[in-house]
Amino acid sequence: MAASGQVNGNVSPQYLGVTQPISTAGPTEADHARTLKLEKFLVSAGLYESQDEAVLREEVLGRLDQTIKLWVKQISQNKGFSDQLIQEANAKIFTFGSYRLGVHGPSTDIDTLCVGPRHASREEDFFAELYTMLADMEEVTELHPVTDVHVPVMKFKFNGISIDLLYARLSLWVIPEDLDISQESILRNIDEQSVHSLSGCRVTDQILRLVPNIQHFHTTLRCLKFWAKRRGVYSSVMGFLGGVSCALLAARICQLYPNAIPSMLVSRFFLVYTQWRWPNPVMLCAIDEGTLGLPVWDPRKNPCDRLHHMPIITPAYPCMNSSYSVSLSTLRVMMEEFRRANEICENLEMNKADWNALFEPYPFFEAYKNYLQVEITALDDDDFRQWKGWVESRLRHLTLKIEKHTSGLLQCHPYPCEVVDSSRKGGHCAFFMGLRRSQGVPQREGQQFDIRATVDEFRHSVNMYMLWKPGMEVYVSHVRRKQLPAYVFPGGLRPVRAPRPSIVVSKSASRPAFGNSVSQLPKSDSGTTDEDVDDISGEGGERLKRKFQPAEEVGLTKWQSSSERGLEGYSAEEELEAVDDIQTSRLLSFCSPSWNSQVVYVEGNQGIACVPCIWDYLLPPLLWCAKPTGAFGGTLLGAVGASESWMKTPQIHGPHIFSFTT
């Protein structure tokens, strides 16, 4: 909806959206060059369909439209209507989603809506009679209905083209061929599911009316959807951005920068939403209250709307939040990705990066130490498709329950891409969720997270599936990063992690004298890292609590004495899991008053690792770990064979001072 403002008594030009544009500046030559490179990149990535496939899609839609017209005449005849009403009986197919927006790709499904008359019911006629007709057609494969969801849908392939078919039952006896579903009156006297089914088409058409340049919007949205898929933040089912939410966010940027071209719009997209103060809503137009009394998104009136973390409001009546499934954890993940992308776009504008950097795949299976694995199995493909759709629709609730039952202390990052073990017979796939302590939560030693009850509650809700058959199973288990199955990696090959940088320690000019002998060293428990201090209990009560062990037990290449190494120092291998997240950035060294050794501190983002270089085989290799609590403070969590006098009187050379406690 166009709006106008008045400044200093003068009426400003009309603009689209609820506010004036941020900038009306046009592109520079550099912007045109970057846009050309972006378009070439999208073409090379295979995001555009061929002309032959475009023709095939049109043919499929035409054939589907003929089928539903024949279907409505048959059910009219079966219900005993007059010949005239049978002849006039009609149903109509509409498209929405990415196909209607013009941003679909080669393998994208077509979101379609069947609009039928009042005498064609959803349960008996659409999901029974039409289902039977489609099942008897040779062109139709992989047909299965999904009825126990917010918006029931029939999924199938028609000549190899994936179709999602919704149904809306209007209050009209005859559906006119020139039906305009954008009118509010079309929603009068229909059921709630029909209202939701119609919303897809109504919202899509309204988005196209509210953007200043449709061609620029197409390219920008195509780019952003590809980015979201590559970075693992594209799935409304999992609590991330869905197709509608992506389109609304992109359309709002087009309104705020009406004269910008795609490269500029992509850059401004990440700039704006990096700074957006959620839960302030994103809206393309003012919320329409309507005249039919249908509920609309309004946190002032609806308490449940106040709980939404990332409201993105649809522009068609009844206005709703398209991103209601976003949780605190998924919002955190998306904000991190917005910030990363914004930095890359800034480098792009300074010619310090290219478009490839923006679309690098997110290394999900290397990003976390702990994962929740949800395996879905069935005996045959038909059962598997139905069972998988049911379980997948419930995974978001598992994320929310983990957040709730741990009081937000444990963050759950669901990965929206399924992985398949091709070596297994029957239907199989697995979904994974990364688990870690919430950022900014104070560390408490020995804190445990027991999510077994949460998992049991999730499995109980999943097993309530009304169409369950023998062989439909779901397995939930907790796995560490090193325990991830090989099939989650490309080609079934686990990537080789880069080795840790070598740390060279030189012998001091003179060897200090020490008052304490080796026999006086007391024994103490092993320490734990900042992240590994947790217990996470999962399937079968499996528990995670790692402690530092001697090098031989954890697979670390044995450290040699200075005489063996020729005073060259030592190198720590990647296999030492206790410090595998520590990034070397600064070295702090000091001499121990109770050991004949020099100790090196390696500081990183996750903590501080301290490894002594042992002289003359006096002590076995030891390891310390401390967590930083600020720019000039930290806490030592524990040590193996620690010296009390050493901890009390460290001689630290470096910018950080740590207060040690056992």
Side-chain angles (χ1 to χ4, degrees):
M1 176 182 299
S4 62
Q6 189 169 3
V7 181
N8 297 327
N10 298 321
V11 178
S12 64
Q14 287 190 335
Y15 56 86
L16 296 169
V18 294
T19 64
Q20 294 184 10
I22 294 177
S23 172
T24 57
T28 64
E29 292 185 4
D31 292 322
H32 282 292
R34 280 190 290 269
T35 296
L36 182 61
K37 291 181 180 180
L38 174 61
E39 292 173 345
K40 290 182 178 180
F41 178 87
L42 298 179
V43 171
S44 64
L47 300 185
Y48 295 86
E49 68 177 357
S50 64
Q51 184 62 33
D52 292 340
E53 187 172 2
V55 172
L56 177 59
R57 288 177 182 269
E58 292 293 334
E59 294 176 352
V60 165
L61 289 174
R63 184 78 172 89
L64 182 60
D65 189 62
Q66 294 176 1
T67 302
I68 63 107
K69 289 181 181 339
L70 177 61
W71 159 74
V72 76
K73 292 183 182 297
Q74 286 186 358
I75 62 173
S76 299
Q77 184 177 10
N78 294 339
K79 294 178 184 293
F81 292 129
S82 64
D83 293 341
Q84 181 181 356
L85 190 55
I86 293 174
Q87 184 178 359
E88 295 176 350
N90 189 33
K92 188 172 175 58
I93 288 290
F94 294 87
T95 61
F96 63 99
S98 61
Y99 184 81
R100 177 71 181 90
L101 288 171
V103 295
H104 59 286
S107 59
T108 308
D109 57 7
I110 304 179
D111 295 313
T112 56
L113 169 69
C114 172
V115 176
R118 63 186 302 171
H119 61 274
S121 67
R122 176 177 287 101
E123 292 77 13
E124 297 179 358
D125 298 323
F126 182 77
F127 281 110
E129 294 295 332
L130 181 58
Y131 175 87
T132 302
M133 288 184 62
L134 292 173
D136 293 338
M137 299 175 64
E138 294 182 357
E139 306 100 314
V140 176
T141 58
E142 300 183 13
L143 174 65
H144 71 282
V146 183
T147 57
D148 297 327
V149 291
H150 190 57
V151 182
V153 59
M154 191 116 66
K155 293 177 173 286
F156 56 92
K157 286 187 176 180
F158 201 115
N159 281 340
I161 303 297
S162 297
I163 303 289
D164 286 355
L165 182 61
L166 280 60
Y167 181 66
R169 177 187 181 184
L170 302 187
S171 60
L172 304 175
W173 285 104
V174 177
I175 303 299
E177 196 62 30
D178 59 349
L179 178 68
D180 183 7
I181 60 175
S182 65
Q183 299 299 317
E184 181 182 315
S185 59
I186 206 74
L187 304 176
R188 194 181 304 275
N189 298 324
I190 64 175
D191 60 87
E192 183 180 359
Q193 290 178 320
S194 294
V195 171
H196 293 312
S197 298
L198 284 164
S199 292
C201 295
R202 291 166 52 83
V203 168
T204 302
D205 291 344
Q206 190 73 344
I207 291 174
L208 294 175
R209 296 189 187 103
L210 291 172
V211 293
N213 188 307
I214 293 180
Q215 183 178 0
H216 292 166
F217 169 72
H218 283 168
T219 304
T220 303
L221 180 56
R222 193 183 295 272
C223 169
L224 293 172
K225 289 181 65 175
F226 183 57
W227 164 82
K229 292 176 181 178
R230 296 282 283 182
R231 299 303 298 177
V233 291
Y234 186 82
S235 174
S236 59
V237 175
M238 293 289 190
F240 293 106
L241 296 176
V244 176
S245 296
C246 266
L248 292 172
L249 292 178
R252 183 60 181 138
I253 298 302
C254 292
Q255 292 180 341
L256 294 174
Y257 300 90
N259 298 323
I261 59 177
S263 65
M264 301 169 63
L265 292 170
V266 171
S267 176
R268 304 308 185 272
F269 178 93
F270 296 115
L271 175 63
V272 169
Y273 292 121
T274 295
Q275 302 176 13
W276 195 271
R277 296 183 179 180
W278 305 105
N280 289 327
V282 173
M283 299 186 296
L284 299 186
C285 59
I287 294 179
D288 185 2
E289 296 289 343
T291 60
L292 302 179
L294 297 176
V296 298
W297 187 84
D298 189 347
R300 297 169 301 177
K301 300 178 181 178
N302 307 321
C304 61
D305 292 342
R306 302 170 195 165
L307 304 177
H308 295 169
H309 303 295
M310 191 183 189
I312 304 172
I313 310 305
T314 57
Y317 177 77
C319 301
M320 305 299 292
N321 178 18
S322 66
S323 55
Y324 67 92
S325 62
V326 172
S327 67
L328 287 174
S329 290
T330 54
L331 176 59
R332 172 190 57 82
V333 172
M334 286 187 283
M335 291 303 296
E336 289 176 355
E337 290 301 321
F338 288 160
R339 286 189 286 268
R340 171 192 175 273
N342 184 49
E343 293 177 359
I344 293 175
C345 288
E346 290 177 351
N347 291 331
L348 273 167
E349 295 182 350
M350 295 185 292
N351 296 322
K352 296 181 179 180
D354 56 23
W355 289 109
N356 287 299
L358 184 65
F359 302 102
E360 288 182 357
Y362 180 72
F364 178 78
F365 293 108
E366 300 178 31
Y368 293 89
K369 292 183 178 180
N370 302 291
Y371 295 87
L372 207 61
Q373 177 178 345
V374 181
E375 286 191 278
I376 306 169
T377 62
L379 295 180
D380 57 61
D381 292 340
D382 291 336
D383 289 348
F384 175 70
R385 279 190 296 270
Q386 299 182 37
W387 178 237
K388 171 181 167 291
W390 167 261
V391 177
E392 186 177 3
S393 68
R394 298 298 184 270
L395 288 176
R396 179 178 66 90
H397 300 285
L398 177 58
T399 302
L400 295 174
K401 289 176 181 178
I402 289 177
E403 290 182 354
K404 179 181 178 181
H405 294 175
T406 61
S407 301
L409 298 180
L410 187 64
Q411 288 183 342
C412 183
H413 177 182
Y415 188 55
C417 303
E418 63 182 77
V419 289
V420 179
D421 185 359
S422 57
S423 64
R424 299 184 58 168
K425 296 181 180 180
H428 169 270
C429 76
F431 290 92
F432 288 83
M433 301 180 182
L435 301 173
R436 75 177 179 188
R437 180 188 302 277
S438 298
Q439 296 179 353
V441 175
Q443 172 72 28
R444 289 187 295 171
E445 185 174 356
Q447 184 176 14
Q448 300 181 358
F449 293 122
D450 190 340
I451 59 174
R452 286 173 294 183
T454 306
V455 170
D456 289 341
E457 184 178 342
F458 165 75
R459 290 193 298 189
H460 176 72
S461 65
V462 166
N463 289 332
M464 295 177 65
Y465 184 49
M466 299 299 294
L467 301 178
W468 183 89
K469 297 179 182 179
M472 293 181 175
E473 302 293 345
V474 58
Y475 303 94
V476 181
S477 57
H478 160 244
V479 295
R480 301 184 190 181
R481 180 167 52 205
K482 289 188 176 182
Q483 298 169 336
L484 288 170
Y487 63 79
V488 306
F489 302 104
L493 300 176
R494 188 181 300 274
V496 179
R497 294 172 64 86
R500 296 296 169 185
S502 300
I503 304 172
V504 179
V505 182
S506 300
K507 186 176 179 180
S508 303
S510 61
R511 189 167 176 177
F514 302 100
N516 296 336
S517 64
V518 176
S519 60
Q520 294 175 315
L521 293 177
K523 296 182 179 180
S524 65
D525 295 332
S526 299
T528 54
T529 66
D530 185 23
E531 289 191 309
D532 293 341
V533 74
D534 304 333
D535 265 2
I536 302 179
S537 300
E539 175 72 13
E542 180 183 1
R543 312 185 69 177
L544 168 65
K545 188 171 185 180
R546 292 179 300 206
K547 295 184 177 182
F548 295 139
Q549 301 167 338
E552 298 86 350
E553 297 182 27
V554 296
L556 178 65
T557 301
K558 184 177 180 180
W559 298 321
Q560 297 171 314
S561 68
S562 57
S563 57
E564 286 182 283
R565 297 292 300 273
L567 300 180
E568 295 178 354
Y570 60 86
S571 175
E573 298 290 338
E574 180 274 334
E575 288 295 324
L576 185 58
E577 177 122 358
V579 291
D580 66 354
D581 279 347
I582 296 176
Q583 302 173 1
T584 305
S585 62
R586 185 182 289 108
L587 299 183
L588 305 177
S589 63
F590 62 86
C591 294
S592 165
S594 50
W595 289 350
N596 295 342
S597 61
Q598 188 178 42
V599 183
V600 175
Y601 263 70
V602 184
E603 183 188 4
N605 294 339
Q606 303 298 328
I608 306 296
C610 164
V611 184
C613 180
I614 307 305
W615 292 9
D616 303 328
Y617 300 99
L618 292 179
L619 293 172
L622 304 178
L623 186 64
W624 289 65
C625 184
K627 62 165 189 174
T629 58
F632 299 100
T635 302
L636 187 65
L637 297 182
V640 179
S643 168
E644 182 178 359
S645 60
W646 179 23
M647 290 186 287
K648 289 181 179 179
T649 57
Q651 302 175 18
I652 302 179
H653 305 284
H656 293 306
I657 305 298
F658 291 85
S659 60
F660 298 110
T661 60
T662 56

